[in-house]
Structure formats: structure tokens, C-alpha cells
């Protein structure tokens, strides 16, 4: 995927010599290990209606930036005021 390509280019430019990528990306890797995700932890953010993709038994490893409760879904419009990146904000904090 595009994130892997950009990260690989960044690492190579930074002088990392042994840069590797998964053949088929994270999506294909998770298809290979659908139950527990193999070595993958959490979920992979996607740019479509799925929002994220993970193993069937994946745990929530991220938290809401407001209340620190476990949360894993980005909500459109919730962005960091400083860098404008999307942030994780849970449903309860969105209504505050």
C-alpha cells in the first residue's frame, strides 16, 4: 500500500539498509492469519468504508485522545488542532 511505499522510501533515505515489505501488504498477511493476526497487533486503518481491518481476535490497542478509553475508530472531522491529522475520539467524547 501507499503507506508502506512511503515508509520504505523514508527509511531508505534515512540510511536503513535492510528495508522489507510484506508481499501483498498487511491485508494479505491478515488473510493468512485471520484468527489471531500472526505477529500483527491491533488493526490496520483503511481508507474505505471498512475503517479498519484486523484479525478476528484483535484487541483494541489505541485510546481516545480525550478520555483515554479504549477506542479504535477514526471519525471524520476529528483532527488534531496542531498537525491536522485524524485523531481517535470515542462516541461519548464526541458529544461533549
Amino acid at each position: 500500500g501507499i503507506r508502506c511505499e512511503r515508509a520504505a522510501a523514508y527509511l531508505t533515505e534515512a540510511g536503513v539498509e535492510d528495508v522489507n515489505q510484506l508481499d501483498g501488504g498487511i491485508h494479505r498477511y491478515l488473510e493468512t492469519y485471520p484468527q489471531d493476526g500472526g505477529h500483527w497487533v491491533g488493526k490496520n486503518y483503511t481508507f474505505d468504508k471498512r475503517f479498519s481491518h484486523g484479525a478476528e481476535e484483535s484487541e483494541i490497542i489505541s485510546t481516545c485522545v480525550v478520555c483515554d478509553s479504549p477506542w479504535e475508530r477514526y471519525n471524520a472531522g476529528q483532527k488534531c488542532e496542531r498537525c491536522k491529522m485524524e485523531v481517535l475520539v470515542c462516541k461519548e467524547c464526541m458529544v461533549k
Side-chain angles (χ1 to χ4, degrees):
I2 187 65
R3 289 171 292 186
C4 293
E5 296 298 329
R6 292 184 71 191
Y10 173 81
L11 291 170
T12 302
E13 189 174 302
V16 177
E17 294 180 14
D18 188 19
V19 177
N20 298 285
Q21 295 184 46
L22 293 170
D23 184 30
I26 297 300
H27 184 83
R28 183 151 313 136
Y29 182 81
L30 289 170
E31 286 178 343
T32 305
Y33 303 97
Q35 195 69 27
D36 65 359
H39 293 286
W40 182 263
V41 178
K43 293 193 176 178
N44 183 41
Y45 175 76
T46 61
F47 298 96
D48 59 23
K49 63 184 177 185
R50 294 174 298 163
F51 294 102
S52 65
H53 179 243
E56 294 168 15
E57 297 176 2
S58 63
E59 61 182 283
I60 298 174
I61 60 170
S62 52
T63 60
C64 171
V65 296
V66 178
C67 70
D68 210 32
S69 295
W71 189 254
E72 63 185 0
R73 186 169 179 159
Y74 287 97
N75 298 296
Q78 302 299 313
K79 299 184 185 288
C80 172
E81 291 181 14
R82 175 180 267 172
C83 69
K84 306 304 181 207
M85 293 291 293
E86 288 189 14
V87 294
L88 297 167
V89 179
C90 69
K91 288 180 183 178
E92 289 79 19
C93 291
M94 283 185 61
V95 297
K96 291 180 182 178

